[in-house]
Amino acid sequence: MSEPRYLQQHDAAVLSRLAAAWLRAGGERARAGTRLAEVLASAILLPESVRPAPYAALYSHVSCRHLCSGEREGVFIACPQDANLALARVSLLSPLALAVLGRASGSVVGLEDGGDGACRFEILHVTPPVRADWPPHRSRSAQYAYSA
């Protein structure tokens, strides 16, 4: 049985609008929209006031360890328009972000890496977003989710 995936209602609403927009776009975006819709379908939705153990959410920082190589990686999950690899801000549509989104610290997640098959990562630590400060451009992110 897979480990539970949690999403706050606000994040689920943003992700749902983004998934719908990308599904309508077709092509590669439609595939990303389908993956995002699958994440939403498997998630347990929580009100903003309820917080289980720290879990990966939109605008949170996630530290992971690759189980094959032992290499550690830290990423900040951002909306696509806020992604910047130089700042370790990955789009929530990236394979790693989709795999860890909604998962708690200590979870082991798998993802297809496109090369040698499935990779597995252990989530070492999640720093949840501070809702008063993140996202830095909430209105831009919300607007993007509506109009993408």
Side-chain angles (χ1 to χ4, degrees), residues 91-103:
S91 168
L92 65 96
L93 298 173
S94 71
L96 180 59
L98 284 172
V100 302
L101 194 63
R103 305 289 189 192

Side-chain angles (χ1 to χ4, degrees), residues 4-144:
R5 181 187 300 264
Y6 298 101
L7 289 175
Q8 297 297 132
Q9 289 180 350
H10 176 270
D11 284 358
V14 170
L15 300 179
S16 178
R17 290 187 298 268
L18 183 60
W22 284 56
L23 284 167
R24 285 190 304 270
E28 187 63 34
R29 285 187 174 194
R31 280 193 286 278
T34 298
R35 289 192 312 265
L36 190 51
E38 290 168 355
V39 166
L40 287 162
S42 67
I44 298 167
L45 299 183
L46 301 172
E48 293 296 320
S49 61
V50 175
R51 294 254 182 218
Y55 64 94
L58 189 57
Y59 296 101
S60 63
H61 185 271
V62 182
S63 297
C64 299
R65 180 174 56 91
H66 190 286
L67 293 180
C68 293
S69 68
E71 185 177 328
R72 292 176 186 244
E73 181 175 351
V75 295
F76 181 85
I77 301 173
C79 280
Q81 75 278 5
D82 294 328
N84 182 333
L85 291 180
L87 299 174
R89 290 185 178 185
V90 298
S91 168
L92 65 96
L93 298 173
S94 71
L96 180 59
L98 284 172
V100 302
L101 194 63
R103 305 289 189 192
S105 295
S107 297
V108 174
V109 298
L111 66 131
E112 292 294 323
D113 69 356
D116 58 359
C119 292
R120 294 173 55 80
F121 288 84
E122 177 185 10
I123 300 173
L124 300 174
H125 181 73
V126 176
T127 303
V130 178
R131 292 294 177 188
D133 298 334
W134 293 105
H137 307 290
R138 178 161 309 272
S139 61
R140 196 171 113 213
S141 297
Q143 177 187 20
Y144 179 82

